[in-house]
Every structure is written in structure tokens, then in C-alpha cells.
Amino acid sequence: METPLREAAGALRAGQRVPLLGVRTLADGSRLLPGTPMHKAQRWVDYQFRHPEKYPRFSFQPDADWGRLYESILKNLQAGNTFEDAMLQTGRYERNGAMMMPPPGSRAQGFIPDSVKGNPAELVWGQPYPFVEAKARKELSLSGNLEAMLNYVEKYGGHLELWVRSAKHPDGATHMTKPLLNALSNLKEQGKALIHHYP
């Protein structure tokens, strides 16, 4: 890490954007998985260099506020399941491992989308992205990871492609609550959302 940290510090002093730091994949070529120690350490390094006004000195030990934010994003992340895997394979989407973290002091909720078209190595708060999300719940409400994504797309642009269970699914169709349907309808009218039913 010494060389990339020195390069990042030089870029900051010159007023340039900090390049990606450290590893994005493991030795076998697979991506870092959210919740693992390596993923957490890498995201902490990235976050400090993304927000030098808040962190003027580099630290390997994450601060308490950032740690709570990281854990809250993980709590809202639905564990992978058969439905999500099938949807990703059907749409030929690559599983996302990048975390969308709001800037320090923000009240916004961070999130991890199931997939992001183009498969960027990192997600920068405030930039528009084409998110893909799969939810196989019996009832789906405007909450957690999904609400955070909808709010983000509404404010910063981009697009959300949502996959839910169809009536052909062995467990039946996903029922979406009225507040969620209203939020999705609003984004659909703006060309910022699309709903797919699977299978």
C-alpha cells in the first residue's frame, strides 16, 4: 500500500482526483466481497482519500462513525439467494461488490446494489449509475436498500432496474406496497426505473 498511498497523497496535493487505491480483486481474480475484512479495509482507505476535508491524516484504523455506516449498509443488504443468482444469470449481469457510501455528515443511507451495469470498480456518491436490484420477498415495501437506491436515483440521476417474483414463481408473485409502487411510478415517468417480473 505504501506506493499507492504516496501517489494518492501527491494527487491530493496537486488538487487532482485520487486514483483507485489498492486491490479490487483477490489473487484468484474474484472480487472483494462486502463484509469481509479485506473489503472493509479497502473501502476505509478509499473513503479517507475521497474525503480529505474530513480525514486530513491517514489512518489504518476506521473511525467509529464510518464503521457504523459500513455495518448499517451491510444490514440492509439482503443475503444472496437462488432468485437473485437466477436473475443475474438471466440478465447476464455481474454481481456488484462496490459499496455506495454517502459523504461524512450526510444523513443519506448508503447501499450495495446487486449489480451495476458496466461493473465499475468503485461507486462515487453523487454520480449517476444504472443499478440492478433483485427482491424475492412475498411483500416488498419502501425500505432498506431499495428505498436508499430509489432516493439516490431521484436525487442524482441514473436508473434502477428492479426484478421481483412473477405469478409463475413457485412461491407466488411479489406484492409491492402502495408507497413503493408510487415511488417506482414516479421514477418510471422520468425514465429512471423499470420493473421486471421473474420467471
Side-chain angles (χ1 to χ4, degrees):
M1 285 291 291
E2 187 177 332
T3 301
L5 287 174
R6 197 176 313 113
E7 289 171 358
L12 273 177
R13 279 194 292 274
Q16 300 168 348
R17 186 175 183 273
V18 176
L20 294 176
L21 297 171
V23 297
R24 297 292 166 198
T25 57
L26 299 172
D28 64 1
S30 60
R31 296 186 81 168
L32 297 175
L33 294 175
T36 61
M38 281 186 69
H39 182 273
K40 187 173 184 178
Q42 182 62 57
R43 293 303 173 257
W44 169 237
V45 168
D46 293 340
Y47 197 75
Q48 289 176 89
F49 278 96
R50 182 70 56 211
H51 303 287
E53 69 286 350
K54 168 78 173 175
Y55 305 104
R57 291 172 193 246
F58 179 79
S59 167
F60 284 104
Q61 179 66 38
D63 76 18
D65 289 342
W66 183 88
R68 281 191 291 276
L69 176 61
Y70 184 90
E71 294 304 322
S72 75
I73 293 170
L74 288 179
K75 280 181 191 170
N76 280 326
L77 176 66
Q78 183 183 7
N81 56 40
T82 307
F83 178 83
E84 183 181 306
D85 292 340
M87 179 281 300
L88 291 172
Q89 189 172 17
T90 298
R92 296 195 171 141
Y93 302 120
E94 214 170 317
R95 186 175 296 283
N96 170 57
M99 187 177 272
M100 180 63 84
M101 294 192 93
S106 171
R107 291 176 168 248
Q109 173 64 48
F111 55 92
I112 303 175
D114 291 333
S115 183
V116 182
K117 292 179 182 177
N119 199 30
E122 74 168 336
L123 299 175
V124 179
W125 192 268
Q127 298 297 310
Y129 295 99
F131 302 122
V132 180
E133 188 71 6
K135 299 290 186 188
R137 298 179 191 155
K138 182 177 181 180
E139 181 163 298
L140 189 57
S141 64
L142 184 61
S143 61
N145 215 32
L146 184 55
E147 181 179 21
M149 264 183 271
L150 287 166
N151 289 341
Y152 186 92
V153 170
E154 175 67 41
K155 184 167 185 180
Y156 299 108
H159 191 270
L160 174 64
E161 186 174 318
L162 176 64
W163 290 70
V164 295
R165 293 184 337 205
S166 74
K168 295 179 184 176
H169 192 278
D171 297 324
T174 296
H175 169 73
M176 291 185 272
T177 63
K178 189 166 183 175
L180 174 58
L181 286 171
N182 289 342
L184 285 166
S185 178
N186 179 45
L187 286 182
K188 279 174 75 175
E189 287 175 10
Q190 301 174 54
K192 295 180 179 179
L194 191 60
I195 302 170
H196 292 294
H197 295 85
Y198 181 85

